[in-house]
Amino acid sequence: MSVDLDKYFARIGWDGGRAPTLDTLRSLQHAHVLGIPFENIDVVVGTVPSLDLTDLEAKLVAGSRGGYCFEQNTLFADVLEQLGYGVTRYTGRVRVGARPGEIRPRTHLVLGIEVPGGGKGRYLVDVGFGSTDALLEPLPMVPGLVREGRGRRHRLVVEEADGPAPAWVLQARSGDTWIELVAFTLDAAPLPDIGVANWYVSTHPRSPFRRLFVQRTHDDGHLALDGTTLTRTARDGTVTVERVDGPEALRELLESEFGIAPPPGVRPER
């Protein structure tokens, strides 16, 4: 089973050429991030999100829903493979908010993409991070190279590790500092390992995803719902914060501003 490309392109509002070029990849990534919201509603209502492509198409493409990193990047990887790109899946450790020296489990999925034709190198792609610092365009996998894409600046830094595999760290520029988003190694993640990480994130009692997170990126700003707190970030950096009171207000917000048709049982807090 593969995702129906026509239905997927209609979902993200994309009608570009399907040749597997860098321009196509760049356009698709941006359209996907804007077209499909980040959300963990299934986890909050007690369900482990399925990574089966049939289920992902039903939910993210046909079902007016979004998903988190394992769902989003699994879906996007299949689309890119159908178009002819080389895709390698990497699991990573989220470093946002980590204490110095803290080693977190591999609970994030990113993609290494090769554009056909050779000589172009590999690009880091991630459509499942969701935040205001997330990638909106492919990032060349060249250590130290700073790339600005649609107003956001990123780079990759390679850390020599005690073990055999150095860590590649994705960083985003925030004001005058670089912040670390996720660290990964270049060993390809087999699908069973991705499934285990997905299960862990959605079931572990201390998983941060057992609290409601919903995010939507627009060209003119960003929306983020964390539990009952809604944060609006305008393109100029202006931030406003609101509180969402009650399940009815939450459902209305999800439908009207995030474009999500929420399943029964979703509430502001678990």
Side-chain angles (χ1 to χ4, degrees):
M1 165 65 189
S2 290
V3 174
D4 185 304
L5 292 181
D6 291 333
K7 293 179 180 178
Y8 169 78
F9 294 147
R11 170 72 166 106
I12 65 174
W14 188 84
D15 60 358
R18 301 190 183 188
T21 65
L22 180 56
D23 285 343
T24 299
L25 177 62
R26 183 181 294 113
S27 177
L28 271 176
Q29 180 174 347
H30 182 243
H32 182 113
V33 173
L34 269 61
I36 302 180
F38 177 100
E39 52 110 325
N40 68 329
I41 294 173
D42 282 357
V43 177
V44 173
V45 300
T47 302
V48 177
S50 172
L51 301 184
D52 181 85
L53 288 171
T54 302
D55 296 332
L56 289 175
E57 182 176 287
K59 179 183 176 182
L60 277 70
V61 176
S64 298
R65 290 286 304 278
Y68 62 6
C69 70
F70 295 111
E71 299 169 279
Q72 299 260 15
N73 283 318
T74 296
L75 175 71
F76 199 54
D78 178 75
V79 169
L80 296 182
E81 286 174 332
Q82 287 194 65
L83 292 176
Y85 294 93
V87 179
T88 305
R89 296 155 179 83
Y90 306 122
T91 52
R93 309 177 193 277
V94 175
R95 289 196 175 181
V96 177
R99 299 183 301 273
E102 179 184 4
I103 300 177
R104 289 175 168 176
R106 293 176 181 254
T107 57
H108 188 62
L109 178 65
V110 298
L111 307 174
I113 306 300
E114 295 180 0
V115 178
K120 300 180 181 66
R122 185 173 294 185
Y123 294 83
L124 181 68
V125 167
D126 185 0
V127 295
F129 203 78
S131 76
T132 55
D133 298 309
L135 287 171
L136 296 180
E137 293 190 348
L139 179 65
M141 294 183 66
V142 178
L145 175 67
V146 177
R147 179 60 59 91
E148 182 166 348
R150 303 184 187 271
R152 301 181 183 185
R153 298 176 68 192
H154 294 88
R155 70 180 183 186
L156 285 164
V157 175
V158 178
E159 294 179 348
E160 295 300 328
D162 294 334
W168 288 64
V169 183
L170 174 63
Q171 299 180 338
R173 188 74 173 179
S174 178
D176 296 328
T177 61
W178 288 97
I179 60 173
E180 297 183 344
L181 302 182
V182 62
F184 59 97
T185 55
L186 298 187
D187 47 327
L191 295 181
D193 288 0
I194 295 171
V196 168
N198 177 58
W199 177 84
Y200 173 88
V201 166
S202 60
T203 62
H204 195 282
R206 292 194 296 275
S207 170
F209 285 102
R210 292 173 68 84
R211 185 173 76 253
L212 184 63
F213 286 105
V214 187
Q215 303 196 65
R216 183 112 201 206
T217 300
H218 300 285
D219 276 328
D220 59 354
H222 183 269
L223 291 174
L225 179 65
D226 180 349
T228 60
T229 301
L230 175 68
T231 302
R232 302 178 186 271
T233 304
R235 189 165 186 171
D236 64 2
T238 303
V239 175
T240 58
V241 179
E242 307 167 19
R243 181 177 175 83
V244 181
D245 293 316
E248 290 305 316
L250 173 62
R251 294 186 69 87
E252 181 179 349
L253 174 69
L254 291 175
E255 291 173 352
S256 63
E257 299 211 45
F258 289 96
I260 292 173
V266 62
R267 303 179 62 84
E269 296 179 309
R270 187 177 175 87

